Amino acid sequence: MTLIKSISGIRGTIGGRTGDTLNPLDIVKFTTAYATFIPRKTGKIVVGRDGRLSGHMVRDVVCGTLVGMGFDVLDIGYASTPTTELAVRMSGADGGIIITASHNPRQWNALKLLNSEGEFLTAADGAEVLAIAEKEDFNYAEVDGLGHVTVDNSFDDRHVQSVLDLKLVDVEAIKKAGFKVCVDSINSVGGLILPKLLDKLGVSYQFLNGEVTGDFAHNPEPLEKNLQGIMDEMKTGKYDLGIVVDPDVDRLAFIREDGKMFGEEYTLVSVADYVLSQTKGNTVSNLSSTRALRDVTEKHGGTYAAAAVGEVNVTTKMKEVNAVIGGEGNGGVIYPESHYGRDALVGIALFLTSLAKKGCKVSELRESFPEYQIAKNRIDLTPETDVDAILVKVKEMFAQDPSAQVNDIDGVKIDFPDRWVHLRKSNTEPIIRVYSEAQTMEQADELGKKLMKVVYDMQ
C-alpha cells in the first residue's frame, strides 16, 4: 500500500491503514488542508472525477468535506482533467479538485489540486497544503455556514466548443478529409467526451474500451506494451488513425494507419510543428522528453527550453519564456491559447488539422520528423533505497567526463552529443524512472541499462 505526496498531488492506493494509503480519513485531512489554504473569494470549488472504481467514494468524501468547510461545491461529475481545469476558470471558482490517478492502475486514486486559474498548485503552494495537513489544526464551519453542492454536467460541451473555437483548429478541413479513427479510451471519461469532439469534427470512429466502468481492460498507461488491442485493430486497414488517451484524458498517443506506434514522444513534436508553422515562438518540454522538439523548434526559428518533470514546472517555464506550445514527452500537449494544462482534446484537434492540411498518411507525417528512440525503464524502490545517494553517485560518475553535460535540477540528466540519460524519482509512483534517448533503441536501452546497474549495485 502506498501514499505519495508530491507536486502531482496526493496519490495512493485505496484501502489499508491511515497514513499509508488514500483512505477516507486521509482524504478528509488533505481536502480540509486544501480548503484551509485556498484564498476564498467566491466560496466555490469545482470537483470532477475520472471513471475509477473508487471515484464515487472519493467524490462523496471530498464534497462532504468541502461543504463542511463552508465551500459551495460545483460537482461536474465524470470529467477529464482538462475539462475540470477549464470549469474552474469558466465558473469563476476559487479552485478545483480533480479526482484521478491519471495513468496509474485501477487500485489507485488521487486528489489533484487547482488554483483559481484552473492550474495546478505550485510546488511552494503544494508544500504549504501538506504542512497544514500535518498540523491537523482545522476549523470547520458551523451549521449556518455549511456549503451546498450543485451538479452541472454542461462542461464537456463547453470544453469541446472551446477547442473548436481555437484559431488553429480548422473544422472544415478536418470534415473534408473524412477521417476514420479507432479510439481506446480505457474504460474512463474519454469514452464520454471524445465522441462529442469527433462528432463535431465530422470524424467517423470506432471505440475500444469505451464503456466508463473504471475496470480498465489493460494497464492504463498509453505505452506500446499496453496497446496491442488497438494496434491489432489498426492493422485491419479500416482506419486512418488510432487515438489513445489515459483515464483522465490529459495524455495522448497516436497509432499509425499500419498499426505501428506513432510514438508518444512525437505527439507533442507533431502538434508543435504545426503550431510553429503558423505562429512563431518558443517551446518547452521536460528533461525526459525527446530532442526532436528542440530540432523542430529551431527549424522554425524558435528557442527550446527544458523544465523539470511535472506539469506545473513545464507551465511555469512556458510562461517564463513565452512559449507558444509546450508539454511533456508522455503525450501531454499544453497549448496556452486554450489553457495552461495538458489537454488531449486540443492535441487531437490540432493534429487532425495538420494531417488534413498536409494531405498525407500518419506514417508519412511521422517520417518527416527527426528520428530518435527513447528507452523508458524503471527501478522499483524499497523502503531502504536511498535515492539521494544514488543520484549523487551517478552525478559523480560523469562529473569529470568532458563529453557529458550534467543537469541536476530534477534528478540527474547526463547529456552527450548524440544521446542522453535521465534518472529521477517519480512524482506518481514508488519508482526511479530511467529514460534514455539515442539514434536507435538498442543504443538508448544500453545507456539506460548501464545506469540501472549502478543503481542495483548500490541497493
Side-chain angles (χ1 to χ4, degrees), residues 222 243-245 250-254 264 267 330-333 343-344 347-348:
I243 297 172
V244 182
V245 295
D250 63 353
R251 288 176 60 172
L252 172 65
F254 296 121
E264 63 168 355
T267 298
N330 59 15
V333 175
D343 191 330
I348 290 167

Side-chain angles (χ1 to χ4, degrees), residues 253-278:
F254 296 121
I255 314 294
R256 302 178 352 169
E257 79 284 351
D258 56 7
K260 296 179 181 178
M261 291 291 294
F262 188 80
E264 63 168 355
E265 290 287 334
Y266 284 82
T267 298
L268 174 58
V269 173
S270 59
V271 172
D273 182 60
Y274 168 60
V275 169
L276 291 169
S277 73
Q278 306 294 315

Side-chain angles (χ1 to χ4, degrees), residues 159-174:
H159 183 183
V160 168
Q161 189 58 51
S162 74
V163 174
L164 302 177
D165 289 341
L166 293 171
K167 291 180 181 179
L168 293 189
V169 172
D170 192 329
V171 176
E172 292 309 312
I174 295 172

Side-chain angles (χ1 to χ4, degrees), residues 182-202:
C182 184
V183 184
D184 185 347
S185 57
I186 194 56
N187 307 111
S188 192
V189 293
L192 299 176
I193 193 168
L194 292 184
K196 294 183 177 184
L197 174 68
L198 296 173
D199 284 339
K200 291 289 186 179
L201 293 174

